[in-house]
Amino acid sequence: MHTQVETLEGLQRRITLQLNMAEVETEVDRRLRQLSKTVRIAGFRPGKAPLKIVAQRYGSEIRGEVMGEALQRGFAEAARAHNLAVAGVPRFDRGEGEAAFSATFEVFPEIVIGDVSQIKVTRPVVEVTDADVERTLEILRKQRLHYRAVDREARTTDRVHVDYVGRIGGEPFPGGEARDYPIVLGEGRTLKEFEAQLLGMRPGEEKRFELTFPEDYFAKALAGKTATFEVTVKAVHEAHLPEVDADFARSLGIDDGDVAKLRAEIAANLRREAKRRVQAKVKEQVMQGLLEVTPFEVPKALVAMERRALLDRAVNELKARGMRDQDIHLKEEVFEPQAKRRVALSLLLDELVRSQNIKAEPEQVRQRIEEFAQSYEDPAEVVAWYYQDANRLREVESLVLEDNVVDWVLQRAQVTDEPLSLEALMGNA
């Protein structure tokens, strides 16, 4: 097959193909004859229809299949002959004459890794302190907060249960009535003026008061209007935080109730999370730095494929949250920057791994899996789970490979260590 390669704009190329129509017609005839032995056509016994009838019915379809296969085969041979690394799927167009075709496509860019010594990285240095452990314990206590009924006046942080009815101009209004409604005083989920009237009330006490809704109240029909409320406090509950004792430790999975062991486990978990976040921050800087020192053109076909994949993933996530198809109005274009960056990083990392012979060693993969497993009740079971599936193992190998790329860059980049508190690292400071 005669071929010719033409360089277009950027990464685009065009190959001109000239099919051998004699070979095409020979293959079409062979397939028609093969089909005629089994095909069922009305008015004829199976396999007994005349070849001419079979050709009239199926000839166009089979010729299309044969020519499509010939084009794909010819294109692949031409790409290999001209040493072209094809990115994406070619677009075939007819040329002049029945046998003439052209294939327009993109090639992978030639990537030359830039000067990584120009990359600047700020690496957080984080130490988990006793204060961090105590802060985490306090969060865990608040997650297990419960309420106890008390017979006294209501105070801030108490939970009160009330019956109330509100009227404007003597008439009830929508949403202005409730029974046994819980309100945590000071939490701010109801109007502060309403909560203020409940402070100091005891169980069984009744009160009548007026309240003017703010001008910017979310219910426009009530904004700026004055209502009269009649309220009865049904119960007052005092907030109670559990003590950090053996029972508390057991509730968090420490079977023997050893509080010191609980603190040690929390510290270990915080160190693992700190390490993960530091690695993520450093990795993001390294990847951005690599992109900045290694500019290259990204194949549009690959970006389009990635863009579509990101859209599909986002749509599936929204559906999983209960959204209906008709309520989802995402456009592919929204994902263009993310798709382009992901493709560029993938190509760049592939080249760096290839050119520098960077590998994911088995012992590194094992160590990463064991780190994952530490946060589970039965680490050995988790490790076995990873090694039972080649795909799961490859996912971990990819993560280790990326880590090794980051380490390779860090050895050559300008790295500044910066002390950082755990709170600041977690985004709470």
Side-chain angles (χ1 to χ4, degrees), residues 154-156 160 183-188 190-201 205 207 209-211 231 233:
R155 304 169 186 167
T156 300
V160 295
I183 300 173
V184 177
L185 299 180
E187 198 171 52
T190 55
L191 287 173
K192 61 181 180 180
E193 294 83 1
F194 190 91
E195 287 190 13
Q197 295 291 335
L198 303 179
L199 286 169
M201 293 183 69
E205 189 176 345
K207 180 185 274 191
F209 59 88
E210 288 188 348
L211 181 151
V231 177
V233 172

Side-chain angles (χ1 to χ4, degrees), residues 61-279:
E61 179 183 343
I62 290 179
R63 181 172 283 101
E65 291 176 358
V66 172
M67 290 185 70
E69 292 171 8
L71 280 173
Q72 292 287 355
R73 187 167 56 250
F75 172 75
E77 292 172 357
R80 282 195 298 271
H82 293 281
N83 198 29
L84 297 172
V86 179
V89 180
R91 187 189 76 244
F92 290 101
D93 298 297
R94 279 192 174 276
E96 295 182 6
E98 185 185 15
F101 291 86
S102 67
T104 306
F105 57 99
E106 289 179 290
V107 295
F108 283 94
E110 291 185 11
I111 300 174
V112 178
I113 304 299
D115 183 2
V116 296
S117 68
Q118 297 303 308
I119 297 175
K120 295 181 180 180
V121 176
T122 300
R123 180 168 52 197
V125 177
V126 179
E127 180 182 354
V128 175
T129 66
D130 290 343
D132 295 322
V133 174
E134 294 306 317
R135 191 178 303 111
T136 304
L137 273 171
E138 192 63 21
I139 292 171
L140 292 170
R141 290 179 70 205
K142 288 179 179 178
Q143 289 173 349
R144 287 157 179 77
L145 178 145
H146 60 276
Y147 289 90
R148 295 173 176 173
V150 290
D151 186 15
R152 60 165 172 74
E153 73 283 353
R155 304 169 186 167
T156 300
T157 73
D158 285 345
R159 186 181 71 194
V160 295
H161 289 249
V162 300
D163 291 346
Y164 67 84
V165 59
R167 295 181 175 86
I168 296 178
E171 297 295 328
F173 57 87
E177 184 175 1
R179 291 285 180 270
D180 202 28
Y181 187 74
I183 300 173
V184 177
L185 299 180
E187 198 171 52
R189 295 193 179 185
T190 55
L191 287 173
K192 61 181 180 180
E193 294 83 1
F194 190 91
E195 287 190 13
Q197 295 291 335
L198 303 179
L199 286 169
M201 293 183 69
R202 301 179 67 93
E205 189 176 345
E206 299 177 357
K207 180 185 274 191
R208 179 188 177 95
F209 59 88
E210 288 188 348
L211 181 151
T212 300
F213 290 96
E215 294 292 342
D216 60 352
Y217 194 59
F218 74 94
K220 301 303 181 185
L222 301 178
K225 294 185 177 180
T226 299
T228 300
F229 282 92
E230 295 175 3
V231 177
T232 302
V233 172
K234 305 288 289 298
V236 175
H237 292 83
E238 183 179 63
H240 176 74
L241 289 173
E243 297 297 325
V244 180
D245 54 16
D247 288 338
F248 183 72
R250 276 191 286 268
S251 74
L252 290 167
I254 307 299
D255 293 338
D256 60 5
D258 189 334
V259 174
K261 190 182 294 184
L262 171 62
R263 285 192 165 88
E265 188 169 301
I266 290 173
N269 288 336
L270 291 176
R271 281 191 287 270
R272 277 195 293 271
E273 180 61 17
K275 178 181 177 182
R276 187 189 69 79
R277 295 204 180 201
V278 167
Q279 287 175 333

Side-chain angles (χ1 to χ4, degrees), residues 1-8 13-19 70-71 74-79 82 84 90-97 99-105:
M1 179 184 291
H2 175 69
T3 62
Q4 181 182 345
V5 178
E6 182 182 356
T7 299
L8 305 179
R13 304 289 184 270
R14 181 187 293 132
I15 289 181
T16 302
L17 305 167
Q18 195 75 23
L19 296 184
L71 280 173
F75 172 75
E77 292 172 357
H82 293 281
L84 297 172
R91 187 189 76 244
F92 290 101
D93 298 297
R94 279 192 174 276
E96 295 182 6
F101 291 86
S102 67
T104 306
F105 57 99

Side-chain angles (χ1 to χ4, degrees), residues 392-407:
R392 288 195 286 263
L393 204 56
R394 275 193 293 270
E395 289 177 3
V396 181
E397 288 170 349
S398 295
L399 292 174
V400 171
L401 199 57
E402 286 186 4
D403 287 346
N404 288 348
V405 167
V406 171
D407 289 342

